[in-house]
Amino acid sequence: MSAAVTTHRHIASHTSLRGHVRRATGRDHNPLCRPLDRAYSRLVAGTVLMVLAGFVLAAVAAVLTYRAETQDAQEVARHRHVVTAVTTGPAQSDDPRAGSVGERAPARWTYPVGPGLGYVPVPDGTVTGTAVSARLDDAGQPAGAPKSNELVVADAVLVGLGVVLVLGFGTEGWFALRRRRLDRWAERSWECAWEQVEPRWSGRRQGPGCR
């Protein structure tokens, strides 16, 4: 009996996607189609729709992230001003533990709000007295550059991939859970059918039947 159950459990699994859609929407009028087959086809069609919806949501999330970060970068750029600074000391390596890697050097510069002093990013090996470009904020203090378009694109792609992975795992879990329930339904159906058919050829007295 277990072999028969295993053999016939998922006869709908060999149906094409188009066939599943027809069966799920009630357009398959095959008299041999069981409620179990329709339920499985609805599961397959629903899973496909969820996967497609996941890709759409991922694309929307990526586009929204790109637009938001692009606007932020443009806003930051409006408050950044490039001036020429002169180093007053040798370059020093940044501390990697502080979250930055590179070299900085003490420098002085002139800005509309007055002269300024501070540390600015410089190329490796910059010596004292070198003229370098410094990026300042509206208050005339050294400030970081706005996020580049490459980083914005990378963030948008990561967000899109994250949405795909989260929704993909969720869809996979839902499919597995639902299919397991259909498996149990199939096993009960075949056991019930076997109890009705087996006594006819074995001569065994038929039991009370399935409920």
Side-chain angles (χ1 to χ4, degrees), residues 25-112:
T25 55
R27 292 182 295 166
D28 185 355
H29 303 295
N30 187 341
L32 298 180
C33 182
R34 304 167 299 171
L36 175 64
D37 299 326
R38 294 189 180 92
Y40 183 77
S41 292
R42 287 194 294 269
L43 173 62
V44 173
T47 301
V48 172
L49 288 177
M50 291 176 66
V51 170
L52 294 177
F55 281 109
V56 172
L57 290 176
V60 171
V63 170
L64 292 179
T65 300
Y66 177 81
R67 290 181 177 177
E69 293 200 4
T70 298
Q71 292 178 355
D72 291 342
Q74 291 173 347
E75 181 64 22
V76 170
R78 282 194 288 268
H79 299 279
R80 295 294 181 266
H81 314 279
V82 178
V83 299
T84 299
V86 178
T87 59
T88 58
Q92 302 175 4
S93 298
D94 288 339
D95 185 357
R97 292 173 298 179
S100 60
V101 178
E103 290 195 349
R104 294 177 178 270
R108 65 177 186 273
W109 58 83
T110 301
Y111 190 65

Side-chain angles (χ1 to χ4, degrees), residues 138-208:
D138 293 336
Q141 298 299 317
K147 184 174 290 188
S148 66
N149 187 67
E150 289 77 10
L151 289 178
V152 171
V153 171
D155 287 346
V157 171
L158 289 177
V159 169
L161 290 177
V163 172
V164 168
L165 290 176
V166 171
L167 295 181
F169 283 121
T171 301
E172 182 180 3
W174 173 79
F175 179 86
L177 180 62
R178 180 59 180 163
R179 179 161 182 170
R180 186 177 303 173
R181 295 181 62 182
L182 293 178
D183 286 346
R184 291 197 294 265
W185 182 8
E187 291 175 358
R188 290 194 300 268
S189 298
W190 279 108
E191 289 174 357
C192 181
W194 179 256
E195 289 182 5
Q196 294 176 0
V197 173
E198 187 267 343
R200 298 179 183 177
W201 60 267
S202 67
R204 182 179 62 85
R205 183 178 180 181
Q206 188 172 357

